[in-house]
Amino acid sequence: MMENFDVVIIGGGPAGMAAAVEAARKGVSVAIVERNDELGGILNQCIHSGFGLQYFKEELTGPEYAENFKNLVEQAAIKVFLKTMVTDISPDKKVTAVNEDGLVTLLAKAIVLAMGCRERTRGAIKIPGTRPAGVLTAGLAQRYVNMENLKPGNRVVILGSGDIGLIMARRLALEGMEVLGVYELMPYANGLFRNVKNCLDDFGIPLHLSTTVSRVIGYPRVEAVEVCQVDDKGCAIAGKEKIIPCDTLLLSVGLIPENELSLKLGLKLNGASNGPVVNQDLESSVKGVFACGNVLHVHDLVDKVTVEAIQAGKNAAEFALFNTVRRDEQSQFIKYSNNIAYTVPSIFNTSKDLLVKFRVRKPITGGQIKIFSGDQLISESRIRDFKPSSMEEISLKKDDLCDQAKGLSIILEEASA
């Protein structure tokens, strides 16, 4: 089967649906290709509230948020390919996929990558010990409990204080499981403050900072884990080990953008965010291919995913219609100080306004952002605190970007500096 579309969206989660709806509003033909058997992505298993406050101006659960966009997709008459796995994308925008009916080939004028992200596993962080049942990622546990009505264990230890881990600490406690504690390698929590407060403090679940799981014990089921305090370099401190009897270990140790297709397409990736290098239009290093959502960089709120995806969908539609959204060959990389982990976009030009998103590497008290075009200071923020769990945003007008040849530098100064 072969079909032609103006815009093809890879991924039917919140980013893919928002991009598709916005592209369709521009009057182009749109298709969504989704490997699961329904749209919605990770939202379908996030039954807790707290979604939609920024975009829909009301508090929704994950499935409710997804349902709003599913309805918009249906109303826009967007072609949806479910249970369809994309195996290849060529630079001339030919999408090859497979499903129950066989081989599917979609020819597009523009493509939006919205494949989301996946969780790091035990193998990714190399925890020593036996290989028993009972070691699983927090997202998998969330699916077991919320969608499949399965109980992952009785006595649970959680490694990592990311938002999924914090939310699952509360969820498991509500289901009657004993959550013995959340252990975090860093000296600070990685999740949002509201989740630490609502999911741990309100349920009496302890958070142990500068501590990690150093060994898994038991077979064929987890019987205990060894935890150990670490120094400021993340190295185990001898004599600070402790055995915690448990039958389940949940891992909430970070997310990785799903960029296997991006690599096959030959996109340049940002080594810090693991997502594609994009410009202000969210266009990648391959002309007419755009990226948004967690495949570009890991977001803290789905509302922000939606806003970003709307921009990607709009620009993809304009490219398909007019071929006017182009990568400026004179684009320059945005430079930033060591206190900043990465920026999105990675490159810029002075032809249009610039919204820069970034995360800090560590909590900073009394920091100040200064932005330079060459040697000229063009913007500075008030002095305030910064946390890795919150995505920061800076808006710059094109008139403020001065001479593009001078480049752009973002400096985050600490109060003590």
Side-chain angles (χ1 to χ4, degrees):
M1 182 179 69
M2 181 179 293
E3 294 191 49
N4 290 274
F5 294 93
D6 292 319
V7 178
V8 172
I9 315 288
I10 313 299
M17 289 191 294
V21 169
E22 184 63 22
R25 286 173 178 163
K26 298 297 179 181
V28 300
S29 59
V30 183
I32 297 175
V33 185
E34 169 56 47
R35 65 185 178 187
N36 290 328
D37 56 4
E38 62 180 332
L39 296 175
I42 197 68
L43 289 176
N44 293 324
Q45 67 187 52
C46 298
I47 65 173
H48 53 280
S49 60
F51 300 92
L53 291 170
Q54 293 185 14
Y55 187 76
F56 289 111
K57 307 305 180 185
E58 61 176 325
E59 189 171 29
L60 305 170
T61 65
E64 289 172 335
Y65 193 103
E67 189 67 23
N68 284 353
F69 269 103
K70 290 177 186 177
N71 293 336
L72 293 174
V73 168
E74 184 176 353
Q75 293 165 15
I78 294 166
K79 182 68 176 288
V80 178
F81 295 86
L82 297 176
K83 294 190 284 188
T84 303
M85 173 69 75
V86 175
T87 59
D88 189 54
I89 306 173
S90 65
D92 61 352
K93 303 175 191 64
K94 181 174 76 173
V95 178
T96 303
V98 292
N99 60 21
E100 295 172 335
D101 298 322
L103 189 67
V104 178
T105 302
L106 307 179
L107 303 180
K109 296 178 181 178
I111 291 175
V112 178
L113 304 177
M115 296 88 73
C117 60
R118 66 177 183 271
E119 296 177 278
R120 292 185 188 275
T121 63
R122 177 185 176 182
I125 60 173
K126 298 179 174 63
I127 302 175
T130 55
R131 296 173 61 110
V135 180
L136 60 163
T137 62
L140 178 58
Q142 186 180 59
R143 180 177 180 87
Y144 281 167
V145 174
N146 293 346
M147 298 188 72
E148 301 183 20
N149 197 31
L150 297 173
K151 184 180 180 183
N154 295 298
R155 290 170 54 83
V156 184
V157 167
I158 298 177
L159 175 60
S161 59
D163 288 311
I164 301 175
L166 299 177
I167 289 167
M168 282 310 297
R170 174 180 63 184
R171 187 76 183 98
L172 297 181
L174 287 170
E175 289 296 330
M177 286 163 263
E178 184 180 4
V179 182
L180 302 170
V182 174
Y183 295 83
E184 170 57 53
L185 177 70
M186 304 304 292
Y188 52 84
N190 277 305
L192 296 170
F193 173 77
R194 73 182 190 192
N195 285 332
V196 175
K197 179 68 175 66
N198 297 339
C199 301
L200 299 188
D201 296 350
D202 289 356
F203 287 81
I205 299 171
L207 172 62
H208 304 274
L209 301 176
S210 298
T211 310
T212 190
V213 172
S214 50
R215 185 161 56 104
V216 177
I217 303 168
Y219 193 84
R221 176 86 191 189
V222 174
E223 297 173 6
V225 296
E226 178 188 79
V227 299
C228 184
Q229 294 181 27
V230 300
D231 58 23
D232 55 3
K233 295 182 180 180
C235 298
I237 301 174
K240 293 295 185 178
E241 303 89 356
K242 183 179 180 181
I243 302 298
I244 309 294
C246 62
D247 62 11
T248 306
L249 173 63
L250 257 59
L251 303 177
S252 178
V253 291
L255 302 169
I256 306 171
E258 288 271 17
N259 268 307
E260 286 71 22
L261 286 173
S262 305
L263 288 170
K264 292 183 71 173
L265 183 54
L267 301 192
K268 295 178 182 178
L269 297 188
N270 183 318
S273 66
N274 292 315
V277 169
V278 296
N279 60 14
Q280 290 111 304
D281 299 312
L282 301 177
E283 187 184 19
S284 71
S285 56
V286 172
K287 180 180 174 183
V289 177
F290 302 80
C292 61
N294 284 349
V295 79
L296 178 57
H297 62 112
V298 177
H299 294 65
D300 41 16
L301 296 173
V302 70
D303 302 74
K304 293 183 178 180
V305 168
T306 297
V307 172
E308 183 178 270
I310 287 171
Q311 181 191 359
K314 170 180 173 292
N315 291 336
E318 291 179 356
F319 184 94
L321 286 172
F322 311 115
N323 199 19
T324 56
V325 181
R326 293 179 178 270
R327 167 175 298 281
D328 186 335
E329 296 302 329
Q330 301 302 313
S331 292
Q332 294 204 17
F333 277 85
I334 298 173
K335 302 175 183 177
Y336 48 88
S337 64
N338 290 336
N339 286 329
I340 296 174
Y342 64 85
T343 67
V344 175
S346 305
I347 59 177
F348 81 103
N349 58 63
T350 57
S351 63
K352 56 183 63 179
D353 296 344
L354 175 63
L355 174 65
V356 181
K357 304 173 186 178
F358 68 91
R359 285 191 190 274
V360 298
R361 292 186 180 276
K362 61 180 182 179
I364 293 177
T365 301
Q368 184 179 33
I369 291 290
K370 294 183 178 180
I371 303 178
F372 294 86
S373 178
D375 297 329
Q376 182 178 349
L377 177 66
I378 62 173
S379 177
E380 61 182 336
S381 72
R382 61 182 177 84
I383 296 175
R384 62 183 181 85
D385 297 342
F386 295 84
K387 295 181 178 180
S389 58
S390 298
M391 178 66 66
E392 303 290 341
E393 296 184 355
I394 300 172
S395 295
L396 298 170
K397 296 295 185 182
K398 62 181 180 179
D399 294 338
D400 296 329
L401 297 177
C402 305
D403 185 355
Q404 180 174 311
K406 295 180 180 179
L408 192 71
S409 300
I410 303 177
I411 309 297
L412 175 52
E413 295 182 347
E414 299 185 62
S416 58

